Amino acid sequence: MLSADDDDRTDGETGVATKTRPRTQRPPLYKVLLLNDDYTPMEFVVHILERFFGMTHAQAFELMLVVHKRGVAVVGVFSHEVAETKVAQVMDFARRHQHPLQCTMEKE
C-alpha cells in the first residue's frame, strides 16, 4: 500500500532521460624527434631508445640508423605531458654523459 509520500512521487511525469553528453575531444598528440649530430656515438643513441622508449635492441638499432641517415626521426607519439617528460629525460641523460644529442617535440 502506498503512503501519501509515495503517491506524490508517482504522480509526476514518467519518461526516459535523454541527456546528451558533450563529446570530449582527445588531447592533441606530440611527436618526439631525435636529431642526428656528428658527435654522439651510435651505441649511445641505441641505449637512449631502449631505455626511454622501450624499444628492443633491434628496433632501436634500426631507428638509430634512420636518425643517422635522414638527420631526424620520430621516436614516439605521446600526450603533451608524456612527450615533454621524454624530451627532458633524454636531454638530461645526454648532458650527464656529455653528449650533444638533441631531442625535441612538435604537435602531430
Side-chain angles (χ1 to χ4, degrees):
M1 182 162 201
L2 294 174
S3 70
D5 290 336
D6 290 337
D7 198 29
D8 288 342
R9 279 186 248 137
T10 58
D11 281 345
E13 292 181 23
T14 60
V16 176
T18 57
K19 230 184 217 183
T20 57
R21 284 193 211 159
R23 275 195 103 127
T24 55
Q25 289 184 344
R26 288 182 171 243
L29 295 176
Y30 290 80
K31 299 184 285 190
V32 175
L33 307 164
L34 210 53
L35 295 108
N36 188 45
D37 64 72
D38 294 332
Y39 304 101
T40 304
M42 292 179 176
E43 301 82 27
F44 185 77
V45 175
V46 169
H47 181 69
I48 289 278
L49 295 170
E50 291 171 344
R51 179 174 179 153
F52 297 106
F53 298 94
M55 295 181 187
T56 64
H57 186 74
Q59 291 169 326
F61 188 82
E62 193 173 314
L63 195 54
M64 174 275 299
L65 288 177
V66 172
V67 173
H68 180 69
K69 290 176 183 173
R70 294 189 186 159
V72 66
V74 175
V75 296
V77 179
F78 308 97
S79 68
H80 185 269
E81 292 78 16
V82 173
E84 201 170 49
T85 300
K86 298 263 186 206
V87 168
Q89 288 173 329
V90 169
M91 294 296 290
D92 181 56
F93 192 74
R95 295 298 160 265
R96 283 189 282 132
H97 289 85
Q98 299 177 345
H99 294 298
L101 184 66
Q102 292 293 304
C103 186
T104 62
M105 62 187 261
E106 65 182 38
K107 201 169 190 176
E108 187 174 48

